[in-house]
């Protein structure tokens, strides 16, 4: 199964790290094996990777995130834009 990686900045790393369980649940509809990464350079850049089970659902989530996902992103301090890479 393909993997995806989403990168973006966050307001505060510690705030973002506290939301791991919520991120895993939000991505549960499209994938599994969610892994978080924090840049080692001290920046506020992070990455989330996951194994994709449903590409169509992932595309729909990217194109039109539901209000609860947008609210979760805001509460976790996500700073747009998000860059999404999906293996072919």
């Amino acid at each position: 199964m393909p993997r995806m990686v989403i990168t973006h900045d966050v307001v505060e790393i510690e705030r973002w790290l506290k939301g791991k369980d919520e991120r895993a649940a939000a991505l549960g509809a499209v994938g599994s094996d969610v892994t978080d990464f924090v840049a080692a350079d001290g920046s506020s850049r992070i990455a989330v990777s996951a194994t994709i089970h449903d590409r169509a659902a992932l595309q729909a989530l990217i194109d039109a995130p539901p209000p609860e996902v947008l609210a979760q992103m805001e509460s976790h301090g996500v700073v747009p834009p998000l860059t999404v890479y999906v293996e072919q």
Side-chain angles (χ1 to χ4, degrees), residues 1-86:
M1 282 187 226
R3 299 260 320 150
M4 73 160 187
V5 177
I6 301 171
T7 61
H8 58 82
D9 288 319
V10 293
V11 173
E12 180 184 346
I13 296 291
E14 292 301 320
R15 175 175 157 191
W16 179 79
L17 287 171
K18 290 178 184 177
K20 178 167 179 56
D21 292 338
E22 292 174 351
R23 273 190 301 286
L27 292 172
V30 299
S32 61
D33 303 320
V34 177
T35 306
D36 295 337
F37 300 91
V38 175
D41 64 1
S43 70
S44 61
R45 194 86 176 144
I46 60 86
V48 177
S49 70
T51 301
I52 301 302
H53 301 285
D54 187 339
R55 283 182 172 220
L58 172 63
Q59 191 62 52
L61 186 64
I62 293 167
D63 290 343
E68 60 271 12
V69 171
L70 292 173
Q72 190 177 71
M73 289 170 59
E74 185 176 335
S75 75
H76 293 185
V78 172
V79 177
L82 281 67
T83 301
V84 181
Y85 168 79
V86 179

